[in-house]
Amino acid sequence: MTGNDRPSPEAFLRQAAQEGRGRLKVFLGAAPGVGKTWEMLTDGRHRREAGVDVVVGVVETHGRRETEALVHGHEIIPRRQVEHQGHSLGEMDIDAILERRPQLVLVDELAHTNAPGSRHPKRYQDVEELLDAGIDVYSTLNIQHVESLNDVVASFTRVRVRETVPDSILENAEIEVVDIPPDELIERLRDGKVYIPQEATRALTHFFSKSNLTALRELALRRAAQAVDAQMLDHVRSHALAGSFAVGERIVVAVSELPVAAELVRAGKRLADALKAPWTAVYIETRRSQAMTDDDRRQLADTLALASRLGASTATVPAASVVEGLRAFAEDARATQIVVGKSARPWWFELRHGSVVDQLVRTIDDVAVHVLPGEPDTRTVQHRAAAVPGRWGKPSHYVVSLALVALMTVLGRLLLEVIDLGNISLLYLIPVMFAAATFGVRAGLFAGLASSLAYNFFFLPPTGTLTVNNPENVISIFVLLGVAVVTSQFAARVRAQADLAQSSARQNAALASFSRQLTAAPDQDTLMQAICAEVGRLLDVRTVLLLPSADGPMLRAAVPPEDRLEQIERAAAQWAMDNEQPAGRGSSTLTASDWLFHPLRTTRGVLGVLGMTRDDAREPVRSDQVPLLMSLLDQASIALDRMELEEASLHARQIEERDRLRAALLSSVSHDLRTPLTTILSAAQEMRRHPSPEMAETIETEALRLNRFVSNLLDMVRVEAGALPMKVEATELFDAAASAAHDTRASLAGHEVKIDISSNIPLVRVDPVLLHHCLINLLDNAGRYADPGTPIIIRASRTADSIALSVIDQGRGIAPGNEKRVFETFTRLEGSDRAKHGTGLGLAIVKGFAEAMGLTVEAGNNAEPHGARFTIHIPEALIISNLTDKDIP
């Protein structure tokens, strides 16, 4: 079974990964108003009428009566309400859908961004969770929200869409294009069926122009075709089906080390653009590749780099012959068109080696072959003549071959009395095969000729001469020589293939190791240092990595460490950044530099440059290392791009969290400062007219409340800054609980505090001040949310490996799923007893103080009596079994 006859493991694994998952169907449109939601609801109704259990997860009708009418009759899962900046936002309730577990759920607007505080930031992540649970999903999407097309859409609409969906979501989805002509969509817009009249007028002059809608329509149709084509190829490969399945065009351009290859690449680009098809530039590496000169390898690297810049995928494939490798690659890629060049070579060259173009046309089926004429290959004779000395091998190879022939001659003379003369000739196959397999075809032919002469001289009568009396012996000599030639050719071919396979395996292993090192890097600085270290190790060079800055290229990593670069090196690095081309030693620009700089390119532009040099003043990169270097640069660029995007995403989340905290702080301060201040002002004005002890007590109580609020703010700042001063000492938990209960007696008025701590509970090693603050905040929290007149319990119990110190109230408890969220800064949850007034800082401070002392805290609900239960766990390491002098403060 050949590689093309068996199923593709990668495609098979991708299909296997979908087993047990729900199916996603995306209704893809060119723009709002084409009828995606209508089509989704209509399909959902048909499925429901066919007996499928269908529910609506979320549908945005935008006030359109026709869409609202389609929603009626469907079971609708109520939305979950999320509070954000004083507004209540309705989001899809994933938990309710998972509990309901329908067969199909309708989810509108796949690219929607969820409100802060939701389980996932994006709705497509909600859909992924539903699919993982085995639930089918229908959803809608506009083409401008596809991540890979974001820049393309912005280039002609002048509108940058912020909500995007990764292309990977569409890879395994069934896509249905909802399409109407641009004129019809514009008419719908004018009729007010998409937006209200004021917005419709503005949209028609901007986003909804006919040229924009036509371009968006083409993008939607093309993207859907690409997705269908990719899914079809996966199916074909996983089932090992033969044929190109030419539903969509796929182009392969065969390149070589010849100068004409650059013209082939440009022609392939023009053909791909005309057909709107993906294309690949491939180089077939054969045993002849070993004889390539440095100039040849540099020319090949430049050609592949050109193809990459023009948007092609590039590949280097080892094979026994160009035709065999190109045919196998085209079949695997399901190519529909191949672009090759035909050089005008001497007749004797084609007579000996054959014509690649002729063989390709005769042996490949169902593929169009484009042949471009090339200039006469004047380098052929010169190139081969220059390559001859190296290809003839070392003199020692021929000496060893001759020694083996002599050894076989001696062995044959010893065995002459035992075996027939005809069998003696078989002994000479040993040095022939050994020389061909070890030293190459020329050494094998030399051994074959020497073997024939030795056999004639020492064994065929008359011995001691090269004369042959018996004509049958002449045939034996020619047979031996012919077998030697054929055996040498086969052995040399096997050796060349083994060398290619070994070289490919070494390169693949190097790339795999490089990828593992980059993936393991936790931050950008470590990543850049890893890039320099691995490239330096694999290519045996010194390396530097520079990133662009306002002051020019900035040195960020180097192996070995470099403090500075000369002005010429910085100029070369800047040129490489600006022109996206190599610069410096070994390139065609600024060759006076000792360093060679290669740009690190991605679809977002040049991220930086990688510089290389050698201590021995030779060119930094050998010609045979160029393909490996190109692969390393591609991986390094992708890794840097990924790290930059992750850091940008983290920065955006930090800004979003900072804005949330700022808004929450302003809201909290405006309420929690204004309330006591208003009370104090009112009491002070009343005291001015009618002094009384009650008014003074009111002022004191509200002032203490203000002081506690400011203290909480300061404590939270210290927690987040990691600047908590601690003085650890032996602490009695009963005393700590009693002290906290005493200090909160005013805020706990109407609630009895019961302390249930046995005298058998040992002392613990904590900071008594921080523990006191923890208990005060927990008691204050319980006092606000416990039912009026109910007791609050402080209880300590010994477990196998810790002490659990709990504060229990008797209220409505905490809503399921919010046990961890209650400890977030400024969090006051709706739908539970944690929603009353307060700063939202107390429980966050408890968590911060507890973790600073090495403790853990958790929230939950108590069974009997029913209410919220907050527990501080003191680990065994902090429990004092036997009191010593050092534990006494």
Side-chain angles (χ1 to χ4, degrees), residues 247-504:
V247 178
E249 298 293 341
R250 293 177 288 276
I251 300 169
V252 171
V253 179
V255 301
S256 67
E257 73 280 7
L258 300 178
V260 71
E263 298 179 16
L264 294 179
V265 168
R266 296 186 183 95
K269 167 66 174 174
R270 292 193 296 270
L271 181 62
D273 287 346
L275 298 176
K276 308 295 183 184
W279 63 297
T280 303
V282 60
Y283 170 68
I284 307 301
E285 185 179 14
T286 65
R287 57 179 178 172
R288 291 183 61 248
S289 303
Q290 299 174 355
M292 288 170 56
T293 65
D294 288 349
D295 290 339
D296 291 338
R297 295 185 184 278
R298 191 174 295 109
Q299 177 66 48
L300 175 62
D302 291 343
T303 301
L304 292 175
L306 173 63
S308 181
R309 289 198 303 274
L310 294 179
S313 302
T314 59
T316 300
V317 179
S321 68
V322 173
V323 174
E324 180 182 330
L326 190 55
R327 185 175 64 244
F329 183 83
E331 290 178 358
D332 184 64
R334 309 288 169 170
T336 59
Q337 306 202 36
I338 296 178
V339 179
V340 295
K342 182 175 178 63
S343 299
R345 291 178 169 174
W347 64 269
W348 54 267
F349 186 90
E350 291 196 2
L351 182 64
R352 178 183 175 188
H353 298 282
S355 170
V356 171
V357 173
D358 293 342
Q359 295 179 50
L360 192 63
V361 171
R362 285 197 302 268
T363 58
I364 198 166
D365 298 323
D366 302 327
V367 178
V369 180
H370 300 262
V371 182
L372 273 67
E375 298 177 357
D377 187 11
T378 56
R379 305 181 320 128
T380 302
V381 177
Q382 302 170 357
H383 165 73
R384 297 182 63 83
V388 165
R391 296 181 65 183
W392 278 104
K394 300 178 181 178
S396 59
H397 296 170
Y398 298 94
V399 172
V400 173
S401 301
L402 194 60
L404 286 175
V405 173
L407 179 61
M408 292 302 103
T409 301
V410 173
L411 183 61
R413 296 295 298 179
L414 295 175
L415 298 177
L416 188 59
E417 302 297 330
V418 180
I419 61 177
D420 294 336
L421 181 62
N423 294 329
I424 294 293
S425 61
L426 299 178
L427 292 175
Y428 287 104
L429 293 179
I430 296 176
V432 172
M433 296 183 65
F434 176 83
T438 307
F439 305 132
V441 64
R442 285 172 172 75
L445 292 175
F446 172 78
L449 181 61
S451 297
S452 299
L453 294 175
Y455 181 61
N456 183 7
F457 189 84
F458 291 104
F459 294 100
L460 295 181
T463 58
T465 68
L466 296 178
T467 303
V468 180
N469 290 336
N470 190 346
E472 293 180 358
N473 292 332
V474 175
I475 297 176
S476 297
I477 293 175
F478 280 105
V479 169
L480 177 61
L481 187 59
V483 169
V485 171
V486 174
T487 304
S488 298
Q489 290 285 353
F490 277 120
R493 178 174 297 181
V494 171
R495 177 173 177 266
Q497 291 177 348
D499 290 342
L500 286 174
Q502 187 177 10
S503 174
S504 179

Side-chain angles (χ1 to χ4, degrees), residues 1-37:
M1 179 178 279
T2 66
N4 295 319
D5 296 330
R6 63 172 181 266
S8 165
E10 294 81 5
F12 186 78
L13 288 173
R14 281 193 294 271
Q15 288 201 352
Q18 299 303 312
E19 295 295 329
R21 276 175 55 92
R23 294 186 305 106
L24 173 63
K25 181 175 181 178
V26 175
F27 294 85
L28 183 66
V34 297
K36 303 179 300 299
T37 305

Side-chain angles (χ1 to χ4, degrees), residues 444-622:
L445 292 175
F446 172 78
L449 181 61
S451 297
S452 299
L453 294 175
Y455 181 61
N456 183 7
F457 189 84
F458 291 104
F459 294 100
L460 295 181
T463 58
T465 68
L466 296 178
T467 303
V468 180
N469 290 336
N470 190 346
E472 293 180 358
N473 292 332
V474 175
I475 297 176
S476 297
I477 293 175
F478 280 105
V479 169
L480 177 61
L481 187 59
V483 169
V485 171
V486 174
T487 304
S488 298
Q489 290 285 353
F490 277 120
R493 178 174 297 181
V494 171
R495 177 173 177 266
Q497 291 177 348
D499 290 342
L500 286 174
Q502 187 177 10
S503 174
S504 179
R506 283 197 303 268
Q507 180 166 328
N508 290 338
L511 291 175
S513 174
F514 186 62
S515 179
R516 286 193 299 270
Q517 293 288 335
L518 301 190
T519 303
D523 52 58
Q524 191 180 54
D525 290 336
T526 306
L527 173 64
M528 291 187 292
Q529 197 66 24
I531 291 173
C532 289
E534 285 299 299
V535 172
R537 180 181 66 84
L538 294 172
L539 303 181
D540 191 26
V541 292
R542 293 164 54 198
T543 55
V544 294
L545 197 151
L546 299 94
L547 298 185
S549 70
D551 299 326
M554 179 173 57
L555 184 63
R556 292 293 304 272
V559 174
E562 290 280 347
D563 294 333
R564 59 185 298 272
L565 293 175
E566 298 298 332
Q567 189 63 33
I568 183 65
E569 273 77 39
R570 291 191 173 275
Q574 185 65 59
W575 193 93
M577 287 182 185
D578 295 340
N579 297 275
E580 300 187 15
Q581 295 287 334
R585 188 177 185 85
S587 70
S588 58
T589 305
L590 297 174
T591 56
S593 171
D594 292 333
W595 291 78
L596 171 64
F597 293 95
H598 273 272
L600 299 173
R601 293 188 301 266
T602 67
T603 54
R604 298 193 301 126
V606 175
L607 303 181
V609 292
L610 183 70
M612 293 158 286
T613 189
R614 291 183 182 274
D615 293 328
D616 55 9
R618 291 187 293 122
E619 286 195 4
V621 181
R622 300 194 313 268

